[in-house]
């Protein structure tokens, strides 16, 4: 019997892309026709049909194929850091013995996994099939920094002055949003950051962060994958009504007329918070206010008056604490002394003398 063989080789080689076929039981000088078969992942090179007149031996038909990479394409990605591994996608029909490689900056990557910002690269995908190589156009594998805000606690509204300190050391870390594109990645934690906002006096205050924050994924520091922002809280302490904290004690003064001027009494003001209090005096309660009580005097009984007193602390308290006090000259007591005398009936009247004490 006569036999012949049909080979299916990679172009320019003797590497099989499909098992060879052997046909037996043939007659010499018979012409046989064979066609190239379809081989997954390869394309037959013309001629794809051969006629062979069988000889006594060495009856061989060989069809050549080239690797078909036409189905392949690569697609990169652009994401915000989320702690997960991302891959460059290779689309196409891989064969079981194909080798896939990922290259960046002239070096083969250890894997097709990109987790951190530093892993970002322009990636070329290579498919190697029976020693024939296909390379994709470079694609971007980009992991962007994840924004995160640290929000210091504060007071949204004005706070009244109390003489006591307002203080907070609390802050919040922005948590992951619904799209998982900002805020702290679930399962990670923040270390090394402190915050302080405090104030007592009437003024505007802003909180301050200190320290070097570290964002940890277990034992791994992943801070470089974040874009950190600090939003400090504020505190505005405003003046309180003075009557809440200050007590004013007017001081009445009175003296009998002696022809000398008498100054208004010195009123006392006590602030439970220890602030400097200004005390003023007025003869009519409308104008002419003075801090010196000696500016208001009485000399005669007719000068007796009510002195108006008020206490204030500008920039600390609002308004005044008021009161009144008496400035009084009373009539002086006078004693008239005369001498005693007597006479005999018919005698002249005696002379009298006296004096006012």
């Amino acid at each position: 019997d006569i036999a012949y063989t049909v080979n299916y080789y990679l172009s320019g080689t003797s590497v099989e892309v499909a098992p060879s076929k052997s046909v037996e039981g043939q007659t010499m000088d018979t012409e046989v026709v064979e066609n190239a078969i379809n081989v997954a992942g390869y394309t037959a090179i013309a001629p794809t049909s051969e006629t062979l007149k069988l000889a006594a031996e060495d009856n061989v038909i060989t069809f050549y194929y080239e690797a078909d990479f036409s189905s392949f394409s690569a697609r990169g990605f652009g994401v915000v850091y989320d702690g997960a591994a991302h891959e460059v996608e290779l689309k196409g029909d891989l064969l079981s013995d194909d080798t896939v490689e990922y290259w960046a900056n002239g070096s083969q990557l250890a894997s097709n996994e990109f987790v951190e910002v530093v892993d970002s690269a322009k990636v070329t995908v290579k498919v190697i099939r029976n020693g024939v190589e296909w390379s994709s156009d470079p694609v971007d594998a980009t992991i962007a920094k994840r924004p995160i805000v640290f929000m210091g606690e504060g007071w949204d509204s004005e706070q009244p002055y109390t003489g006591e300190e307002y203080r907070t050391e609390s802050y919040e870390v922005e948590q992951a949003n619904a799209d998982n594109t900002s805020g702290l990645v679930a399962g990670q934690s923040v270390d090394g950051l402190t915050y302080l906002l405090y104030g007592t006096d009437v003024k505007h205050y802003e909180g301050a962060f200190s320290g070097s924050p570290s964002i940890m994924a277990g034992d791994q520091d992943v801070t470089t994958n974040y874009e950190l922002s600090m939003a400090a809280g504020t505190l505005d302490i405003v003046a309180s009504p003075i009557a809440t904290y200050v007590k004013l004690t007017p001081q009445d003064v009175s003296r009998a007329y002696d022809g000398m001027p008498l100054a208004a009494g010195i009123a006392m003001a006590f602030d439970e918070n220890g602030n400097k209090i200004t005390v003023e005096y007025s003869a009519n309660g409308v104008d002419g206010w003075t801090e010196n009580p000696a500016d208001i005097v009485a000399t005669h009984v007719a000068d007796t008056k009510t002195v108006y007193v008020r206490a204030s602390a500008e920039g600390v308290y609002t308004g005044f604490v008021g009161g009144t006090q008496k400035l009084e000259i009373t009539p002086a007591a006078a004693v008239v002394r005369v001498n005693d005398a007597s006479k005999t009936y018919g005698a002249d009247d005696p002379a009298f003398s006296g004096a006012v004490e």
Side-chain angles (χ1 to χ4, degrees):
D1 289 342
I2 301 298
Y4 68 91
T5 301
V6 182
N7 298 318
Y8 309 99
Y9 288 163
L10 184 66
S11 176
T13 73
S14 58
V15 176
E16 288 187 341
V17 297
S20 295
K21 179 176 74 170
S22 179
V23 181
E24 298 179 348
Q26 302 298 306
T27 303
M28 194 172 72
D29 294 330
T30 300
E31 288 187 348
V32 295
V33 178
E34 289 288 340
N35 296 305
I37 63 175
N38 293 325
V39 180
Y42 294 89
T43 300
I45 300 173
T48 58
S49 181
E50 292 280 355
T51 300
L52 174 68
K53 185 176 181 178
L54 298 177
E57 58 186 18
D58 297 329
N59 295 308
V60 178
I61 296 174
T62 300
F63 293 104
Y64 290 96
Y65 292 78
E66 60 185 6
D68 181 5
F69 299 115
S70 61
S71 67
F72 286 116
S73 64
R75 186 172 71 177
F77 61 85
V79 298
V80 173
Y81 170 76
D82 59 8
H86 299 270
E87 296 182 346
V88 171
E89 182 181 5
L90 173 64
K91 291 185 175 183
D93 300 321
L94 281 172
L95 302 183
S96 60
D97 56 354
D98 284 346
T99 299
V100 181
E101 298 175 352
Y102 298 87
W103 290 69
N105 299 317
S107 299
Q108 184 179 352
L109 302 178
S111 69
N112 181 28
E113 289 190 351
F114 304 83
V115 179
E116 300 193 63
V117 172
V118 70
D119 297 334
S120 297
K122 280 191 173 295
V123 178
T124 298
V125 183
K126 295 182 179 182
V127 177
I128 304 169
R129 178 174 293 168
N130 268 330
V132 180
E133 181 180 293
W134 169 85
S135 295
S136 72
D137 292 331
V139 295
D140 291 319
T142 303
I143 298 178
K145 286 193 173 187
R146 185 183 184 96
I148 186 171
V149 180
F150 299 92
M151 298 163 285
E153 187 177 59
W155 284 263
D156 294 333
S157 59
E158 294 178 335
Q159 300 300 305
Y161 171 81
T162 65
E164 301 293 329
E165 182 182 68
Y166 291 88
R167 184 183 186 94
T168 180
E169 298 178 8
S170 299
Y171 69 90
E172 292 184 0
V173 180
E174 180 190 4
Q175 299 301 302
N177 63 358
D179 294 331
N180 199 24
T181 56
S182 67
L184 187 67
V185 170
Q188 297 184 359
S189 61
V190 177
D191 294 327
L193 185 66
T194 58
Y195 173 76
L196 178 61
L197 170 59
Y198 69 99
T200 302
D201 297 330
V202 175
K203 61 187 289 188
H204 173 78
Y205 299 88
E206 291 188 1
F209 288 92
S210 59
S212 298
S214 297
I215 301 178
M216 307 297 294
D219 295 332
Q220 181 184 4
D221 189 333
V222 295
T223 310
T224 55
N225 295 295
Y226 285 86
E227 191 71 49
L228 309 183
S229 297
M230 309 293 177
T234 60
L235 167 62
D236 288 286
I237 301 178
V238 296
S240 297
I242 192 170
T244 305
Y245 300 102
V246 175
K247 180 180 180 182
L248 178 65
T249 303
Q251 183 66 48
D252 294 336
V253 291
S254 179
R255 191 173 70 194
Y257 172 76
D258 62 1
M260 300 297 293
L262 175 65
I266 300 174
M268 303 298 294
F270 172 74
D271 176 22
E272 64 182 60
N273 294 315
N275 294 291
K276 181 180 183 300
I277 303 299
T278 298
V279 179
E280 298 173 284
Y281 306 83
S282 171
N284 59 20
V286 177
D287 53 19
W289 291 96
T290 177
E291 295 182 33
N292 184 5
D295 290 341
I296 301 175
V297 298
T299 303
H300 305 284
V301 172
D303 297 333
T304 296
K305 59 176 64 80
T306 296
V307 177
Y308 296 86
V309 188
R310 67 183 185 186
S312 63
E314 186 177 358
V316 178
Y317 300 118
T318 59
F320 298 91
V321 174
T324 60
Q325 59 190 36
K326 182 186 295 184
L327 174 58
E328 181 182 41
I329 300 295
T330 60
V335 178
V336 179
R337 295 187 183 277
V338 296
N339 62 299
D340 295 331
S342 63
K343 71 173 185 173
T344 303
Y345 176 77
D348 293 335
D349 290 335
F352 291 90
S353 64
V356 179
E357 295 181 356

